[in-house]
Amino acid sequence: MLIEMDLKEFNATLGSDAPAPGGGSVAALSGSLGAELVSMVCNLSFGRENLAAHQSELAAAQAEAAELGRELLLRVDADTDAFTLVMDAFRMPKGTDEEKAARAAAIQVGYKEAVESPLTTARQCLAVLRLGASLQGAFNANAMSDFGVAALMAHAGLEGAVMNVRINTPVIKDQDFVNAVEAEVARMMDEGTSLKEEIYRYVYENLS
């Protein structure tokens, strides 16, 4: 599993000619790092007298951020598994009409999974951004730059995941599926970019 590698091994594999990990796995990792930074910001805010009114809010946010971090980390491998389904489908025999039909159907299933995996990553990265935006004014100001980097990583994960969705949709023949996916990713990108910019404004106004 990719997530069992140490950083040096993961980076070396990423930079090699191996087909995986690729951009989808990196997008999931980016989102996971953003979520864990939100968790850290919450942990650094517990027990502070000036934040007494926000302790329950911070506890709930920390638990949600930690869960999102775990889920997104698992998606590092899930994205690679989805890509493998496509490759396996292309390796299927195509000597007879029946084999050709079965292969074509498997390829379509594989590409749909290759869309669903980064689509889930995108949804989770957006959830990290929503969570971050909800914490403005409720956390330890000494962690302001960490809070900003959390938004940066979550948005990078969102946009990277959307790229990995959109590179696969053109080969899918189910137009209703494609239309629904395109509409969702457009909405997510609009909201995610707005949240990122809102958080950036807050961070830069409060860095000191």
Side-chain angles (χ1 to χ4, degrees), residues 18-36:
S25 292
V26 171
L29 179 59
S30 295
S32 179
L33 294 172
E36 295 295 357

Side-chain angles (χ1 to χ4, degrees), residues 12-143:
T13 305
L14 181 65
S16 73
D17 61 356
S25 292
V26 171
L29 179 59
S30 295
S32 179
L33 294 172
E36 295 295 357
L37 275 170
V38 172
S39 177
M40 184 191 80
V41 167
C42 292
N43 280 317
L44 291 172
S45 304
F46 292 142
R48 296 181 70 88
E49 186 176 345
N50 65 319
L51 297 172
H54 299 290
Q55 294 301 294
S56 60
E57 175 188 354
L58 285 164
Q62 189 279 325
E64 183 179 349
E67 180 60 25
L68 284 166
R70 287 189 290 269
E71 291 174 357
L72 280 159
L73 190 61
L74 292 175
R75 299 226 63 79
V76 173
D77 279 300
D79 187 84
T80 297
D81 293 342
F83 177 77
T84 300
L85 283 179
V86 175
M87 294 299 97
D88 288 346
F90 273 105
R91 295 188 189 103
M92 290 174 65
K94 50 181 178 178
T96 66
D97 288 344
E98 290 80 7
E99 288 175 340
K100 289 176 182 176
R103 179 176 177 271
I107 289 171
Q108 288 297 302
V109 170
Y111 271 117
K112 279 189 175 182
E113 184 58 33
V115 163
E116 289 288 359
S117 180
L119 188 61
T120 299
T121 296
R123 290 168 182 150
Q124 292 170 337
C125 288
L126 180 58
V128 176
L129 286 163
R130 288 170 175 163
L131 187 59
S134 74
L135 291 174
Q136 294 174 84
F139 65 88
N140 182 352
N142 293 328

